[in-house]
Amino acid sequence: MVVGNEVNIEADEENVVPEREPRRGFLELVCVPINCLKMLSSETHWSFVFGVMVVYGLSQGLGGAFYRVGTEYYMKDVQKVQPSEAEIYSGVTSIPWVVKPLWGLLTDVVPIVGYRRRPYFILAGLLGIIPMLFLSLHSKLHLVPAVLSLTAGSAGVAIADVTVDACVAQNSNIRPSLAADMQSLCALSSATGALIGFSMSGLLVDLIGPKGVFGLLTIPFGLVFIVGTMLHESHVPNVSFKQVNQKFLDAGKSMWTTLKCPEVWRPCLYMYLSLAVSLDIREGMFYWVTDSKGGPSFSQETFGMIMAVGSVGSILGALLYQYSLKDHPFRDLLFWTQLLFGLSGMLDLVLVLRLNLKLGLPDFLFVVVDASVSHMIGRLKWMPLLVLSSRLCPPGIEGTFFALLMSIDNIGLLSSSWGGGLLLHLVRVTRTQFDNFWLAILIRNLLRITPLGILFLVPRCDPNSAILPGQILSTKEDNLVIENGNIELASLVNNVDDR
C-alpha cells in the first residue's frame, strides 16, 4: 500500500510539473524589466530611474505621440498646408532641440534662486502648458502664431530632456558598465509611452479633433512642472555674475578642447552626415496614406494604431539591443543597422507602387509590418549612437557636452527634414498629386546607404572601453567646471520635513 501511494504521488507530481513551468517562465519574463529597474535604482538612485521614466515615458513618449499625430492632422486639416510645407514647418518646430547646448549650459552653470535644476523643470512645464492651451482654445489661428506655439511646446520638452540627459551622462561616466542599461531604460520608457500614446491618439483626434489633443498635452507638461517642485538638490547661495561668466568661459574652453580631439570630432561628423543624408519624407507618406484616392485612405484610428505598432517595433529594437547587441563594437553594429535601414525603406516603395496588392497582401497588413520593421531597425540604429555620445562626454560638463552632441544629431535631423521637404517639392508631390512620390522614396533609400562609406570615422571599440584620451579625463577631473551634486527627486514627505 505504501509503495502504491508513493507511485501515485510521483505520478501526480509528474502531471503537475508541466503546468507550473509555463507559469514560472512567464513570471520570470515579467520580472526581467522589474529586476533591471531595481538594479539601476540600487546602482544609481531610485530618483534617477523615476525621473527618466517621467520625462521620457510621459513627456516624450505619451506626450510626443499626441503631439505628432495632433500636429500632422492639424497642419493637414486645419491649416491645410502642402506636404513639402508641412515638412519644413516640422523642421522649424524642432529648432529648440538644435540649441540644446544652450539649455545644457544654462542648467549647468546658471542657477536660478540658488538652484540649478528645479527652475528649469518648472520653466519647461510652463513653456508647454501655455502654448498648448493657446492652440486648443483659439478657433481660427493664423499659421505663424500656430507654428510659434508648437515651437514653444517643443522647447519645453527639450529643456526637460536636457536636464535628464545630464543625469544620464553623469552616471554613464561614473558607471561605464551601466551606460547601455541607462540608454535602454530611456528608450524603453519612451517607446512604452509612445505605444500607449499612439494607441489612443487616432481615436482622440477623431473624437475631439487635433486642437482637443493639444489641450490634453497640458497634462504631461503639468507633470514636468510637478517634477520641478519635487526636485531635491543642494542650494547654491551667493552666485555672482562674475562666477557665472567665468563658468561659461571655462565650459566653452572645455568643450572646444574636447571637440578638437579626433576621437570626438570624427564620430560627431559621422552622426551628423548619417542623419542628414537620410532624407525625411514622412509628411508625404502621411498625406498619401490618409488622403490619396490611389492610396489606402486610412482613418485617424487606423493611422494611430499603425503608429502604435511602430512603437512596439521600437520596444523590440531596444530589447534586442539590450540583451543581444549592447556589447558589440560600435562600427560593426552601425554597419549592419545602416544597411538594414536602407533596405527597409524599400517596403515603402512596394506600398506606393501597389505591388503588395499584386502579391495578395492587403494595405493594412503590409503597412503594419512595414511600420514595425522600420521602427525596430531605426531604434537599433539609434541606440549605439546614443551610447557612443554618452561615452564621449568629459567629466564636469556632462550635461552641456551631451546636449552639444544631441544638438549635432538634431541639426542632422533638421537638415534631413528640410532636405526631404525640398525633395517633395522638386518631384511635385502635393496634397492631391502623388505620381512621382515613388521617385522620392527611391532617392531617399539610396541616400540611406551612403553613410556606409564613412564608417571609418566611428571607433571600433565596444561601449565598455574608454574612448576619450587620458589627458582629457585627467584634466577634467582636476578642474571640474560643474559641481557634481547628488541630484535626486525627493518625495512629498521629504519636502514637508524639509520645511
Side-chain angles (χ1 to χ4, degrees):
M1 294 295 293
V2 175
V3 174
N5 289 337
E6 289 178 351
V7 173
N8 290 335
I9 291 173
E10 291 177 357
D12 292 340
E13 289 178 350
E14 291 177 357
N15 292 331
V16 172
V17 170
E19 296 179 358
R20 290 180 180 177
E21 284 182 350
R23 294 182 181 179
R24 187 183 298 116
F26 176 75
L27 290 176
E28 289 177 357
L29 181 63
V30 173
C31 289
V32 166
I34 298 177
N35 292 333
C36 182
L37 292 177
K38 289 182 179 179
M39 181 271 294
L40 286 176
S41 298
S42 61
E43 292 291 336
T44 57
H45 196 278
W46 68 267
S47 59
F48 167 75
V49 177
F50 177 75
V52 168
M53 294 178 68
V54 167
V55 175
Y56 276 95
L58 298 179
S59 178
Q60 294 189 32
L62 182 71
F66 286 178
Y67 180 90
R68 178 178 173 181
V69 176
T71 300
E72 289 186 335
Y73 277 101
Y74 180 77
M75 288 295 179
K76 173 176 171 286
D77 297 335
V78 179
Q79 296 293 343
K80 300 186 182 302
V81 300
Q82 297 293 340
S84 57
E85 296 173 344
E87 201 72 64
I88 298 297
Y89 296 139
S90 175
V92 172
T93 59
S94 68
I95 289 179
W97 293 83
V98 174
V99 295
K100 280 187 68 175
L102 175 61
W103 315 131
L105 199 58
L106 289 174
T107 58
D108 279 342
V109 304
V110 183
I112 299 176
V113 198
Y115 293 99
R116 287 194 174 97
R117 310 295 177 181
R118 280 185 179 178
Y120 293 99
F121 272 117
I122 294 174
L123 174 63
L126 292 176
L127 275 176
I129 294 173
I130 295 175
M132 291 303 107
L133 283 176
F134 182 67
L135 283 168
S136 63
L137 297 177
H138 204 291
S139 58
K140 295 182 180 179
L141 190 62
H142 190 269
L143 180 60
V144 174
V147 172
L148 291 177
S149 298
L150 292 171
T151 305
S154 179
V157 180
I159 294 174
D161 172 79
V162 77
T163 307
V164 173
D165 283 346
C167 301
V168 173
Q170 180 177 331
N171 280 296
S172 295
N173 269 324
I174 297 174
R175 303 170 184 83
S177 62
L178 296 179
D181 298 281
M182 296 179 201
Q183 293 298 340
S184 295
L185 173 63
C186 297
L188 286 173
S189 299
S190 178
T192 304
L195 172 61
I196 299 173
F198 282 125
S199 300
M200 302 168 56
S201 59
L203 179 62
L204 291 174
V205 169
D206 183 51
L207 292 177
I208 60 178
K211 293 192 292 184
V213 172
F214 290 146
L216 291 178
L217 279 174
T218 58
I219 297 176
F221 281 117
L223 293 174
V224 173
F225 182 91
I226 293 174
V227 169
T229 63
M230 295 174 62
L231 187 68
H232 179 72
E233 59 175 329
S234 301
H235 188 270
V236 185
N238 301 325
V239 178
S240 64
F241 175 77
K242 290 183 178 180
Q243 289 177 304
V244 172
N245 185 53
Q246 186 61 41
K247 288 183 177 181
F248 264 108
L249 295 176
D250 292 342
K253 292 178 181 178
S254 299
M255 292 170 62
W256 177 244
T257 301
T258 305
L259 275 176
K260 288 191 299 183
C261 297
E263 295 86 351
V264 177
W265 69 259
R266 287 162 62 93
C268 291
L269 180 60
Y270 172 82
M271 287 188 284
Y272 168 75
L273 293 176
S274 66
L275 293 170
V277 300
S278 301
L279 299 183
D280 184 2
I281 55 174
R282 66 181 183 185
E283 294 298 334
M285 180 61 71
F286 168 72
Y287 275 67
W288 183 80
V289 300
T290 59
D291 204 34
S292 172
K293 294 181 179 179
S297 298
F298 290 140
S299 63
Q300 292 95 329
E301 298 93 329
T302 303
F303 180 76
M305 290 305 300
I306 292 172
M307 297 302 297
V309 173
S311 298
V312 174
S314 295
I315 295 175
L316 293 177
L319 290 173
L320 181 59
Y321 176 82
Q322 169 67 17
Y323 295 107
S324 301
L325 303 173
K326 68 177 182 179
D327 294 323
H328 285 249
F330 290 114
R331 189 184 298 182
D332 297 343
L333 186 56
L334 287 172
F335 172 83
W336 291 108
T337 55
Q338 191 70 46
L339 180 61
L340 292 174
F341 189 57
L343 295 177
S344 65
M346 292 299 177
L347 294 175
D348 292 337
L349 188 62
V350 172
L351 178 66
V352 171
L353 293 177
R354 317 305 283 145
L355 298 179
N356 61 297
L357 297 179
K358 295 181 180 179
L359 296 174
L361 298 175
D363 287 330
F364 179 77
L365 176 61
F366 190 83
V367 171
V368 163
V369 174
D370 184 4
S372 58
V373 171
S374 300
H375 281 74
M376 182 179 68
I377 296 175
R379 178 64 66 179
L380 287 174
K381 174 179 176 290
W382 185 243
M383 290 296 295
L385 294 179
L386 286 177
V387 177
L388 177 60
S389 297
S390 67
R391 301 297 294 126
L392 293 176
C393 297
I397 53 171
E398 296 94 346
T400 304
F401 201 80
F402 190 82
L404 174 63
L405 297 179
M406 291 297 98
S407 175
I408 293 174
D409 291 348
N410 285 304
I411 293 175
L413 293 174
L414 178 62
S415 302
S416 172
S417 181
W418 286 354
L422 178 61
L423 177 61
L424 291 175
H425 177 73
L426 291 176
V427 299
R428 302 182 184 277
V429 173
T430 65
R431 294 173 57 90
T432 57
Q433 183 72 350
F434 297 93
D435 293 341
N436 296 326
F437 189 41
W438 67 271
L439 180 59
I441 295 176
L442 181 61
I443 294 174
R444 180 205 64 180
N445 295 343
L446 294 176
L447 289 175
R448 280 183 174 183
I449 305 177
T450 55
L452 295 177
I454 56 173
L455 268 176
F456 64 88
L457 297 172
V458 179
R460 282 190 177 275
C461 63
D462 60 73
N464 297 321
S465 304
I467 299 177
L468 294 176
Q471 63 268 24
I472 288 184
L473 291 174
S474 60
T475 301
K476 296 299 181 295
E477 289 173 356
D478 294 336
N479 303 286
L480 290 180
V481 179
I482 315 303
E483 296 180 2
N484 291 327
N486 182 20
I487 303 168
E488 60 180 2
L489 296 173
S491 64
L492 293 176
V493 176
N494 289 336
N495 283 340
V496 174
D497 292 340
D498 290 340
R499 294 178 182 177

